[in-house]
Amino acid sequence: MHWLWAIIVGFVLGLIARAILPGKQHQPLWLTVIFGIIGGVLGNAVATWIGVNDTKGIDWIRHLLQLAGAVLIVGLGDMIYMSVRGNKRQMT
């Protein structure tokens, strides 16, 4: 069940991150979901590191850190995806 939630949250975080980032992102949707999952895990790790991963009520700081991680990973992932994709087009 944890994997299902990770995929759902990664999908939502990835889509929100794509909406926040300026310009057009070129990676496919499935890669955006994976980047969103990785960003969510990164945000959880930072929240645990600073001690705000489990608070009373809604964990707003943890959720904001997850979103920030998703924006970071989706942005970097798009740059890497385009550099790899661009190199493949030049080779053929």
Side-chain angles (χ1 to χ4, degrees), residues 5-87:
W5 276 114
I7 292 169
I8 292 169
V9 169
F11 177 74
V12 171
L13 285 173
L15 289 180
I16 293 172
R18 281 181 82 155
I20 289 173
L21 288 169
K24 182 177 186 219
Q25 288 76 44
H26 300 91
Q27 74 259 12
L29 184 61
W30 65 268
L31 199 53
T32 301
V33 172
I34 291 173
F35 291 157
I37 292 169
I38 293 170
V41 170
L42 177 67
N44 275 338
V46 171
T48 301
W49 181 62
I50 63 174
V52 294
N53 62 328
D54 191 23
T55 59
K56 293 180 182 179
I58 299 174
D59 298 329
W60 291 110
I61 297 172
R62 180 173 56 109
H63 296 317
L64 288 174
L65 289 170
Q66 287 175 331
L67 181 59
V71 168
L72 176 71
I73 298 298
V74 168
L76 290 174
D78 186 56
M79 287 189 287
I80 293 169
Y81 177 78
M82 285 307 294
S83 68
V84 169
R85 185 174 174 226
N87 287 339

